[in-house]
Amino acid sequence: MTRIPLTLYNSLSRQLETFQPINPTDVGLYTCGPTVYNYQHIGNMRAFLFADTLGRVLRWKGVADDPHHQHHRCRPPDLRRRCR
């Protein structure tokens, strides 16, 4: 069976590029989670959904075991109290 390479769109060069990890044995994905000020909506969940999907693809391709590390935070003090 031939492995199909993972191809991603590079918005800087505006080209499709084959994913080549810097360290093939340790691929990681660090993202910021949603910073929630009020009710959730699709706009502030888009980045989370993309990062989750990319992490699942990296696992499916066998590139990484657990690539996704995410940072979550609550901003305003009153919201911080409600988050606890």
Side-chain angles (χ1 to χ4, degrees):
M1 180 165 89
T2 305
R3 267 189 112 168
I4 299 172
L6 176 60
T7 305
L8 300 171
Y9 180 74
N10 182 338
S11 60
L12 181 62
S13 66
R14 296 183 177 174
Q15 295 179 347
L16 287 174
E17 297 180 3
T18 301
F19 175 71
Q20 296 178 352
I22 295 169
N23 182 354
T25 60
D26 185 30
V27 174
L29 175 66
Y30 182 83
T31 61
C32 290
T35 301
V36 182
Y37 292 97
N38 210 331
Y39 296 104
Q40 290 288 323
H41 57 81
I42 194 66
N44 61 16
M45 293 301 292
R46 182 186 172 276
F48 170 76
L49 291 171
F50 173 77
D52 181 61
T53 302
L54 181 57
R56 290 170 187 260
V57 168
L58 291 173
R59 278 193 297 276
W60 175 66
K61 288 284 202 178
V63 178
D65 292 330
D66 186 19
H68 199 186
H69 307 282
Q70 193 170 63
H71 174 73
H72 292 271
R73 65 181 177 175
C74 287
R75 273 295 169 137
D78 64 320
L79 221 132
R80 196 174 301 139
R81 270 184 259 117
R82 285 187 276 163
C83 287
R84 291 182 190 168

